[in-house]
Amino acid sequence: ICVRGNSMRFQDKVVIVTGAAGGIGTAIAQRFSSEGAQVVVTDVNAAGVEATAAAIRATGGRARGFASDISGAAGCKSVIADVLANEGRIDVLCNNAGINRRGPLLSLTAEDWDLSFAVNIDAMFHLCQAALPSMIAAGGGVIVNTASQWGLYPAPNHIAYNVTKAAVASFTQNLARDYAPQKIRVNAVCPVEIHTPMLEAGVKRSGRTIADLDRLVPFGRIGQPAEVAALVAFLASDEAAFMCGSLVEITGAQAVA
C-alpha cells in the first residue's frame, strides 16, 4: 500500500483492530501497519486472524493475531488484557467487527437479533470499558468505530443491522462527549456498500451483481476496503486532532436504496 505525505503517522503506536480476518478490517490493519504501527489483529476466525497478521509481517510490518469471540464480555476483556500484557498500552482501538442478519422483523429469529446486538454494539461497550482506563492513564487515546450509512438512513429489510449501527453512531457521540476532557477522541466511519466478502455473499443471494450495485452509485462504483481504511487512519491520526464525536459518511454520494 502506497501512503503519501505523512507516511509514518503511527510509528510505534499500538493499534487494535477487531473483525480483522477479512474485508474492511484486514484493510484497516494493513493501513496502520504500513504507517508504522504495531497492530493486534483480532477476530473470531482464528485462521483468518493469523492469515492477516502473517500477510502484514510478510511485507515488513509488525502484527500479531489474537483470536477471540467478542460476542461476550469475557472475549472482549481478554483482548484488552492480552494487549496490555504484551504491548503495554493501547493507542488506537478500532471497533470494526460486525455482522449483518438480513430481513424484515418477521423473518428474524431472536438469535439473529441478540447476536446482532452482541457483536455490533455490546462488544464496543465491553472493549471500550476495558481499554479506557489505560488510555486515560496515558493522557489520551483514539477510538474509531465502524458504523454505517444505514445506521443514519435505514435501508429496507435490514432492521437488525440498521438499528445496531444506529446504536453505534449514538454510542460514538456519547462516548466522545463524556471522555473528550480526558483527551480520548472517539469518531465513527459510516460506509455505504463496500466491496467485501460479506457484500459479495449478499449479492449472490439476491441474484444481483457487483456491476448492478456500481450503477446505483453516482461516483460510478461501490467503495473499496482500502478507501475506508484510509479514512479510519486519518481519523486516528494527529491530523484529525480536533475531530471528536464525528460520524463521517463515505458513500460516493450514494443515497440509501
mmCIF file of all heavy atoms in Angstrom, residues 1-21:
data_model
loop_
_atom_site.group_PDB
_atom_site.id
_atom_site.type_symbol
_atom_site.label_atom_id
_atom_site.label_comp_id
_atom_site.label_asym_id
_atom_site.label_seq_id
_atom_site.Cartn_x
_atom_site.Cartn_y
_atom_site.Cartn_z
ATOM 1 N N ILE A 1 0.854 -1.186 0.000
ATOM 2 C CA ILE A 1 0.000 0.000 0.000
ATOM 3 C C ILE A 1 0.884 1.228 0.000
ATOM 4 O O ILE A 1 1.744 1.384 0.874
ATOM 5 C CB ILE A 1 -0.912 0.019 1.246
ATOM 6 C CG1 ILE A 1 -1.830 -1.206 1.236
ATOM 7 C CG2 ILE A 1 -1.746 1.299 1.279
ATOM 8 C CD1 ILE A 1 -2.639 -1.367 2.492
ATOM 9 N N CYS A 2 0.677 2.110 -0.930
ATOM 10 C CA CYS A 2 1.447 3.339 -1.015
ATOM 11 C C CYS A 2 0.735 4.429 -0.229
ATOM 12 O O CYS A 2 -0.445 4.696 -0.449
ATOM 13 C CB CYS A 2 1.610 3.771 -2.464
ATOM 14 S SG CYS A 2 2.503 5.324 -2.652
ATOM 15 N N VAL A 3 1.419 5.032 0.719
ATOM 16 C CA VAL A 3 0.847 6.089 1.542
ATOM 17 C C VAL A 3 1.613 7.365 1.284
ATOM 18 O O VAL A 3 2.826 7.419 1.456
ATOM 19 C CB VAL A 3 0.908 5.733 3.051
ATOM 20 C CG1 VAL A 3 0.276 6.844 3.862
ATOM 21 C CG2 VAL A 3 0.220 4.414 3.314
ATOM 22 N N ARG A 4 0.915 8.398 0.854
ATOM 23 C CA ARG A 4 1.577 9.649 0.556
ATOM 24 C C ARG A 4 1.635 10.539 1.791
ATOM 25 O O ARG A 4 0.885 10.381 2.743
ATOM 26 C CB ARG A 4 0.814 10.379 -0.559
ATOM 27 C CG ARG A 4 0.800 9.621 -1.879
ATOM 28 C CD ARG A 4 -0.028 10.359 -2.914
ATOM 29 N NE ARG A 4 -0.054 9.634 -4.177
ATOM 30 C CZ ARG A 4 -0.767 10.010 -5.216
ATOM 31 N NH1 ARG A 4 -1.503 11.105 -5.176
ATOM 32 N NH2 ARG A 4 -0.745 9.290 -6.328
ATOM 33 N N GLY A 5 2.497 11.539 1.756
ATOM 34 C CA GLY A 5 2.551 12.527 2.825
ATOM 35 C C GLY A 5 3.160 11.954 4.091
ATOM 36 O O GLY A 5 4.249 11.388 4.075
ATOM 37 N N ASN A 6 2.430 12.115 5.187
ATOM 38 C CA ASN A 6 2.927 11.675 6.490
ATOM 39 C C ASN A 6 2.805 10.163 6.589
ATOM 40 O O ASN A 6 1.885 9.632 7.197
ATOM 41 C CB ASN A 6 2.127 12.358 7.606
ATOM 42 C CG ASN A 6 2.246 13.864 7.541
ATOM 43 O OD1 ASN A 6 3.332 14.387 7.315
ATOM 44 N ND2 ASN A 6 1.142 14.574 7.733
ATOM 45 N N SER A 7 3.763 9.477 5.997
ATOM 46 C CA SER A 7 3.611 8.043 5.798
ATOM 47 C C SER A 7 3.862 7.200 7.046
ATOM 48 O O SER A 7 3.585 6.014 7.024
ATOM 49 C CB SER A 7 4.554 7.570 4.678
ATOM 50 O OG SER A 7 5.893 7.833 5.027
ATOM 51 N N MET A 8 4.377 7.814 8.114
ATOM 52 C CA MET A 8 4.615 7.037 9.330
ATOM 53 C C MET A 8 3.924 7.703 10.519
ATOM 54 O O MET A 8 4.503 7.929 11.572
ATOM 55 C CB MET A 8 6.116 6.892 9.571
ATOM 56 C CG MET A 8 6.835 6.142 8.463
ATOM 57 S SD MET A 8 6.223 4.452 8.189
ATOM 58 C CE MET A 8 7.041 3.591 9.531
ATOM 59 N N ARG A 9 2.659 8.012 10.330
ATOM 60 C CA ARG A 9 1.899 8.706 11.376
ATOM 61 C C ARG A 9 1.723 7.878 12.636
ATOM 62 O O ARG A 9 1.446 8.432 13.708
ATOM 63 C CB ARG A 9 0.523 9.106 10.835
ATOM 64 C CG ARG A 9 0.569 10.147 9.734
ATOM 65 C CD ARG A 9 -0.824 10.482 9.216
ATOM 66 N NE ARG A 9 -1.448 9.346 8.547
ATOM 67 C CZ ARG A 9 -2.630 9.415 7.916
ATOM 68 N NH1 ARG A 9 -3.302 10.559 7.897
ATOM 69 N NH2 ARG A 9 -3.135 8.357 7.304
ATOM 70 N N PHE A 10 1.878 6.564 12.524
ATOM 71 C CA PHE A 10 1.626 5.692 13.671
ATOM 72 C C PHE A 10 2.867 4.916 14.092
ATOM 73 O O PHE A 10 2.760 3.817 14.648
ATOM 74 C CB PHE A 10 0.459 4.746 13.348
ATOM 75 C CG PHE A 10 -0.783 5.485 12.960
ATOM 76 C CD1 PHE A 10 -1.141 5.624 11.624
ATOM 77 C CD2 PHE A 10 -1.573 6.092 13.921
ATOM 78 C CE1 PHE A 10 -2.269 6.334 11.258
ATOM 79 C CE2 PHE A 10 -2.713 6.811 13.568
ATOM 80 C CZ PHE A 10 -3.051 6.936 12.239
ATOM 81 N N GLN A 11 4.022 5.486 13.832
ATOM 82 C CA GLN A 11 5.273 4.833 14.205
ATOM 83 C C GLN A 11 5.255 4.452 15.685
ATOM 84 O O GLN A 11 5.060 5.302 16.562
ATOM 85 C CB GLN A 11 6.454 5.763 13.934
ATOM 86 C CG GLN A 11 7.817 5.139 14.200
ATOM 87 C CD GLN A 11 8.150 4.040 13.201
ATOM 88 O OE1 GLN A 11 8.058 4.249 11.988
ATOM 89 N NE2 GLN A 11 8.523 2.885 13.693
ATOM 90 N N ASP A 12 5.405 3.151 15.945
ATOM 91 C CA ASP A 12 5.478 2.597 17.298
ATOM 92 C C ASP A 12 4.197 2.754 18.115
ATOM 93 O O ASP A 12 4.210 2.560 19.335
ATOM 94 C CB ASP A 12 6.658 3.197 18.062
ATOM 95 C CG ASP A 12 7.992 2.869 17.413
ATOM 96 O OD1 ASP A 12 8.108 1.774 16.830
ATOM 97 O OD2 ASP A 12 8.901 3.713 17.457
ATOM 98 N N LYS A 13 3.098 3.097 17.470
ATOM 99 C CA LYS A 13 1.807 3.116 18.151
ATOM 100 C C LYS A 13 1.233 1.704 18.180
ATOM 101 O O LYS A 13 1.485 0.887 17.294
ATOM 102 C CB LYS A 13 0.819 4.034 17.428
ATOM 103 C CG LYS A 13 1.259 5.490 17.333
ATOM 104 C CD LYS A 13 1.166 6.194 18.666
ATOM 105 C CE LYS A 13 1.410 7.688 18.513
ATOM 106 N NZ LYS A 13 1.360 8.381 19.823
ATOM 107 N N VAL A 14 0.454 1.410 19.207
ATOM 108 C CA VAL A 14 -0.199 0.115 19.333
ATOM 109 C C VAL A 14 -1.664 0.268 18.932
ATOM 110 O O VAL A 14 -2.397 1.080 19.516
ATOM 111 C CB VAL A 14 -0.097 -0.433 20.763
ATOM 112 C CG1 VAL A 14 -0.874 -1.748 20.892
ATOM 113 C CG2 VAL A 14 1.359 -0.639 21.152
ATOM 114 N N VAL A 15 -2.066 -0.502 17.933
ATOM 115 C CA VAL A 15 -3.409 -0.386 17.367
ATOM 116 C C VAL A 15 -4.103 -1.742 17.416
ATOM 117 O O VAL A 15 -3.538 -2.749 16.968
ATOM 118 C CB VAL A 15 -3.348 0.110 15.906
ATOM 119 C CG1 VAL A 15 -4.757 0.194 15.316
ATOM 120 C CG2 VAL A 15 -2.642 1.454 15.813
ATOM 121 N N ILE A 16 -5.318 -1.775 17.946
ATOM 122 C CA ILE A 16 -6.149 -2.980 17.931
ATOM 123 C C ILE A 16 -7.197 -2.824 16.847
ATOM 124 O O ILE A 16 -7.859 -1.784 16.753
ATOM 125 C CB ILE A 16 -6.865 -3.193 19.282
ATOM 126 C CG1 ILE A 16 -5.871 -3.325 20.430
ATOM 127 C CG2 ILE A 16 -7.781 -4.421 19.216
ATOM 128 C CD1 ILE A 16 -6.542 -3.369 21.801
ATOM 129 N N VAL A 17 -7.364 -3.862 16.024
ATOM 130 C CA VAL A 17 -8.408 -3.858 15.003
ATOM 131 C C VAL A 17 -9.250 -5.116 15.186
ATOM 132 O O VAL A 17 -8.748 -6.236 15.051
ATOM 133 C CB VAL A 17 -7.828 -3.826 13.579
ATOM 134 C CG1 VAL A 17 -8.966 -3.728 12.557
ATOM 135 C CG2 VAL A 17 -6.859 -2.660 13.399
ATOM 136 N N THR A 18 -10.534 -4.939 15.482
ATOM 137 C CA THR A 18 -11.431 -6.086 15.605
ATOM 138 C C THR A 18 -12.081 -6.376 14.258
ATOM 139 O O THR A 18 -12.150 -5.516 13.380
ATOM 140 C CB THR A 18 -12.519 -5.850 16.669
ATOM 141 O OG1 THR A 18 -13.462 -4.874 16.192
ATOM 142 C CG2 THR A 18 -11.914 -5.384 17.983
ATOM 143 N N GLY A 19 -12.548 -7.608 14.104
ATOM 144 C CA GLY A 19 -13.146 -8.003 12.831
ATOM 145 C C GLY A 19 -12.152 -7.920 11.693
ATOM 146 O O GLY A 19 -12.479 -7.525 10.577
ATOM 147 N N ALA A 20 -10.912 -8.319 11.980
ATOM 148 C CA ALA A 20 -9.816 -8.081 11.029
ATOM 149 C C ALA A 20 -9.402 -9.316 10.245
ATOM 150 O O ALA A 20 -8.323 -9.352 9.671
ATOM 151 C CB ALA A 20 -8.610 -7.510 11.771
ATOM 152 N N ALA A 21 -10.278 -10.328 10.186
ATOM 153 C CA ALA A 21 -9.940 -11.536 9.429
ATOM 154 C C ALA A 21 -10.258 -11.408 7.946
ATOM 155 O O ALA A 21 -10.010 -12.333 7.179
ATOM 156 C CB ALA A 21 -10.669 -12.746 10.006
#
